[in-house]
Amino acid sequence: MLTGQNVLVTGATGGIGQAIVERVAALGAHPVIHYVQNVSAAEELLSRIGKKGTVVQADLSDAGGATELWEKSVSHRGRIHGLVNNAGIRATSRIEDSLAEWQRAWEDDLRINLLAPADICRVAIGHFRQYGGGRIVNIASRAAQRGYTEDHMPYGASKAGLINLTKSIARNFGKDGVVAIAIAPGFVRTKMAEEFMREKGREAVVGDIPVGEMVEPAEVADLVAFSLLETQRSLSGATLDLNGASYIR
Ligand code: NAD
C-alpha cells in the first residue's frame, strides 16, 4: 500500500500518466497531478480519483519549469515521498532535415526527456535528504536499450540518458535513503503508439513482440506502484523491462 504518500506524477494527463495516477491513488497515495495545457483533463482525472489529489501546472520546456513544478508541489503538500518522471515527447528528425531542424528536434527531446527530469531530480534529492529518503521512478523506454527508428534517434538517446541518470542517483544517494528505478516499456497502447502505428503499420509495432500485443498503460502503472513501495529498497538502480520479450538483455 502507498497510504499517506504524496506522489508527484509529471505529464499526468497523458495515456500512461493517467493510469499511474489512478493506480497510486487506488493504493492510498495522494497524487500530485502535473499538466502543461490540458487543465480539463487534469480536473477530470482528479474527479475520477474522488478529488483526493492536487493539480499543478508547469511547462517543462521552460528552463525553470521543472524546479518550479517541484516547488509548487512542495508548497501544496509539504513533504513529497515519490516522484514519477513520466512527461515525455518524441520529436521527428531525419538526417535529410536542415541542420536547424535537426538540432531543434535533439534540443526538444533532450529538454523534456532528460534535462527537465535532471532538474527535478536535483531538487527532489535535496528534499528527500531532508526527510530521510524518497523515491524516484523514471519512465524511460525500450528505445533507450536497443536504439530507435531513423526518424526518432533523439528520443532513444534522451531515454538512454535518463536510465544512466537513474543509475547515478541510485549509486550516489542510496546512503541518503533515495531509491531510483527506471522503467523501460516497449510500445504502450497510448496516443503516442497509435500515432506510430498509423504512420508505420501494425506489423511495425507488434510484429517483433513475441506476446503479440502492445503493453497496456495499466501494466506500466502496476510497476510504478510496485517501485514506490517502501519494501522495495534493494530494487534501486534497476531498469525494469516491460516489452513482451521484444528486447531481452
Ligand atoms: P503522452 O503523449 O500521452 O503523454 C506525455 C505527457 O508529457 C503529456 O501529459 C504531456 O502533457 C507531457 N508533456 C509533453 N510536453 C510537455 C512539456 N513541455 N511540459 C510538461 N509536460 C509535457 O505519452 P505517453 O505514451 O503517456 O508517454 C508517457 C511516458 O512514457 C513518456 O515519457 C514516454 O516517452 C514514455 N513511453 C511511452 C511509450 C509508448 O509507447 N506510449 C513507450 C515507452 C515509453
Side-chain angles (χ1 to χ4, degrees), residues 213-226:
E213 286 299 338
M214 290 191 254
V215 180
E216 292 297 332
E219 294 182 80
V220 183
D222 277 350
L223 265 193
V224 171
F226 182 77

Side-chain angles (χ1 to χ4, degrees), residues 10-18 34-38 58-62 85-90 112-113 139-143 148 155 159 162 183-193 214 220:
T10 72
T13 57
I16 296 173
Q18 295 201 22
H34 160 249
Y35 73 98
V36 58
Q37 278 173 334
N38 199 345
D59 188 344
L60 299 177
S61 64
D62 293 342
N85 279 310
N86 166 72
I89 58 167
R90 192 175 50 105
I112 303 298
N113 299 344
I139 307 299
S141 170
R142 177 187 66 180
Y148 211 25
Y155 179 81
K159 294 293 191 178
L162 187 61
I183 296 180
F187 282 116
V188 183
R189 194 189 304 284
T190 62
K191 253 185 7 218
M192 192 187 271
M214 290 191 254
V220 183

Side-chain angles (χ1 to χ4, degrees), residues 144-233:
Q145 299 165 321
R146 66 171 205 180
Y148 211 25
T149 54
E150 64 180 290
D151 43 357
H152 296 114
M153 291 194 290
Y155 179 81
S158 65
K159 294 293 191 178
L162 187 61
I163 288 180
N164 192 274
L165 172 67
T166 311
K167 292 177 182 176
S168 295
I169 292 170
R171 289 180 63 80
N172 293 305
F173 302 101
K175 62 182 184 311
D176 301 309
V178 179
V179 168
I181 293 157
I183 296 180
F187 282 116
V188 183
R189 194 189 304 284
T190 62
K191 253 185 7 218
M192 192 187 271
E194 274 162 9
E195 183 193 310
F196 190 88
M197 187 140 84
R198 262 195 309 277
E199 275 170 35
K200 311 268 179 191
R202 183 179 160 81
E203 188 56 23
V205 177
V206 296
D208 70 345
I209 306 176
V211 304
E213 286 299 338
M214 290 191 254
V215 180
E216 292 297 332
E219 294 182 80
V220 183
D222 277 350
L223 265 193
V224 171
F226 182 77
S227 304
L228 290 170
L229 290 174
E230 281 178 356
T231 49
Q232 292 306 315
R233 188 176 53 216

Side-chain angles (χ1 to χ4, degrees), residues 24 56 67 79 87 117 121 152-153 191 225:
V24 300
V56 172
T67 306
R79 177 174 180 186
C121 285
H152 296 114
M153 291 194 290
K191 253 185 7 218

